[in-house]
Amino acid sequence: MRDTASIPTVSPDQRAGAARTGAIRTLGANPATAPIVLHPGDAISTARRVVYIILLGALTALGPFTIDLYLPAFPVLQEDFHTTAAAIQLTLTGTMIGFALGQLVVGPLSDKVGRRVPLLAVTALHVVASVAAALAPTLELLTVARVFMGVGAAAGGVVAMAIVRDLFGGRRLVVMLSRLALVSGVAPVVAPLIGSALLAVMPWRGIFVVLAIYGVVMLISAIALVPETLPKARRQDSGGATVLQRYKSVFSDRVFIGVLIIGGMTFSGLFSYLSSSSFLFQEGYGFDAQQYGLLFAVNSLGVVLGVQTASRLAARFGPQWVLACSTAVLVLAASAIMATDALRLGVWGTMVPLFVFMTACGFTFPCVQVLALDRHGKAAGTAASVIGAVNFGVAGIITPLVGALSEGAGITATTMAIVMAGCGVVAVLSLWFVVRPRTVERLAP
């Protein structure tokens, strides 16, 4: 009679996890005595995980860098094309809309045909569009090129999140997604700092050449190092066999809808600041390009602090309760900017609460991703694409409101903060009336 004590048992929680993710694996020559893991990534070495974090992080950063690297050049673009600040902001809006539309295509496609093919094809499009932007003779052609750059940058973030969800689940998913959230949160803040440095040594068109080179490096790295993490058997899973079924599975989830709104509002508040800050700080407060870049570097520390702290708190207390605090801080910090501007406390009166706002964004980003993706392992690409599309699409629609509110008077801290505060209020309402934190189950181990 065989000694059954040597055979690993599978708990009810593990069976539930297996049913949800289809990811239980047995390893080794003898399946009867091999350890059982709930997710494929549990068997990956630490060194290999580090490689994934670096490469997937760089792919994720391609989108924010594409959007934000040229922000310090806005005043120069306005002068070169003899146009208005609002017209220049439309190039940013076009990029974010392209980024959103690209994700809506790439995500479901990656669930159907696998992760690698969409990643490689769309990243190649980014390279071509970046070259076109560098050569654009008119603002209209630059705007068109920027739309396609947004589409081309869409694959990195979507596929990176989907790959992480393919490999990991439960609390390890929190840790891995927090690393990607760190990149997606810090990259928009660091990009203008790098853009400022580039403007010191090259004209604004050179920034798009740098983005083209970045895209080439990512394309080569993806070919060499990114494996296919969605086997053909799982692409035909009955839970997500068609695009319509995958969209139905995510949009029928109340919690997913709620965190989708929270993520979109947080990104909109962040990009309201990003799109208006070059005018506010360079023209309103007299910063030069390098001082403006330094401001972004300081704010990036707040995002890093928020993301890293949130990953630990979310694993212990639940991401929904981290969101309960961070969304409230978004509203309070934006309101503080309006108050300090009304009291004429100057640049420091704006910068201090702005740092708090950015830190709250850092707390919010990973919690949104975890709550959304942990519930939809079979449609991870679709879920990730919807998150990205809503984040950047809604932000692209809302951010021009800062310019509209400031028309004729110039962008001020108050007009910027009004939009930021409004986004925070919507996020708070979505958390308590749509997500309803007390109804969200705890993360699996």
Side-chain angles (χ1 to χ4, degrees), residues 62-423:
L62 180 61
F65 270 88
T66 295
I67 291 169
D68 297 329
L69 197 65
Y70 81 132
L71 289 180
F74 271 17
V76 180
L77 285 166
Q78 182 180 354
E79 182 178 348
D80 280 4
F81 287 113
H82 306 290
T83 187
T84 64
I88 296 300
Q89 282 185 320
L90 285 177
T91 65
L92 178 63
T93 298
T95 310
M96 290 193 288
I97 290 175
F99 194 72
L101 294 175
Q103 290 186 84
L104 290 176
V105 174
V106 171
L109 187 62
S110 75
D111 283 336
K112 188 67 176 178
V113 304
R115 311 303 186 197
R116 278 175 57 86
V117 172
L119 174 63
L120 300 180
V122 182
T123 304
L125 173 63
H126 175 273
V127 175
V128 175
S130 297
V131 174
L135 301 175
T138 66
L139 182 61
E140 290 77 15
L141 291 177
L142 175 62
T143 302
V144 172
R146 290 290 293 168
V147 171
F148 282 101
M149 285 181 70
V151 174
V158 170
V159 174
M161 282 197 289
I163 288 174
V164 169
R165 186 59 188 87
D166 289 341
L167 297 176
F168 303 100
R171 294 180 181 176
R172 185 161 281 165
L173 177 66
V174 175
V175 175
M176 295 298 290
L177 284 179
S178 72
R179 302 297 183 264
L180 295 187
L182 175 63
V183 173
S184 61
V186 171
V189 184
V190 174
L193 172 63
I194 298 174
S196 297
L198 292 175
L199 281 176
V201 297
M202 64 179 64
W204 62 264
R205 294 181 185 275
I207 291 176
F208 297 115
V209 175
V210 170
L211 286 170
I213 295 171
Y214 186 178
V216 170
V217 172
M218 288 297 94
L219 185 61
I220 294 172
S221 299
I223 292 172
L225 299 174
V226 176
E228 180 56 69
T229 58
L230 188 67
K232 291 183 178 180
R234 289 183 61 193
R235 298 174 204 171
Q236 303 302 321
D237 193 286
S238 61
T242 69
V243 171
L244 182 60
Q245 287 174 320
R246 287 191 289 272
Y247 274 119
K248 182 179 179 180
S249 72
V250 297
F251 281 113
S252 61
D253 181 1
R254 169 182 54 80
V255 173
F256 181 87
I257 295 296
V259 296
L260 197 63
I261 296 171
I262 294 170
M265 290 299 103
T266 304
F267 257 80
S268 296
L270 172 65
F271 277 96
S272 295
Y273 154 62
L274 293 177
S275 67
S276 58
S277 59
S278 59
F279 299 106
L280 173 62
F281 286 98
Q282 293 188 73
E283 296 181 357
Y285 291 128
F287 282 31
D288 60 28
Q290 283 66 46
Q291 290 171 326
Y292 172 68
L294 181 62
L295 168 70
F296 275 84
V298 172
N299 283 331
S300 70
L301 297 177
V303 178
V304 172
L305 174 65
V307 170
Q308 293 306 299
T309 307
S311 64
R312 291 169 173 80
L313 294 177
R316 182 174 180 181
F317 300 106
Q320 67 271 30
W321 298 115
V322 178
L323 288 175
C325 297
S326 66
T327 52
V329 173
L330 291 175
V331 178
L332 294 174
S335 300
I337 294 174
M338 289 186 280
T340 57
D341 191 41
L343 294 172
R344 300 186 182 278
L345 297 183
V347 63
W348 285 105
T350 299
M351 289 176 60
V352 172
L354 184 58
F355 179 84
V356 176
F357 185 92
M358 299 297 287
T359 303
C361 288
F363 274 92
T364 304
F365 294 142
C367 296
V368 166
Q369 292 178 358
V370 169
L371 282 177
L373 293 181
D374 188 55
R375 304 167 66 86
H376 296 285
K378 295 178 180 179
T382 301
S385 71
V386 172
I387 295 170
V390 169
N391 284 350
F392 288 94
V394 172
I397 294 170
I398 289 179
T399 51
L401 291 177
V402 179
L405 291 172
S406 307
E407 189 173 1
I411 290 174
T412 67
T414 296
T415 54
M416 177 184 73
I418 287 173
V419 178
M420 293 163 61
C423 292

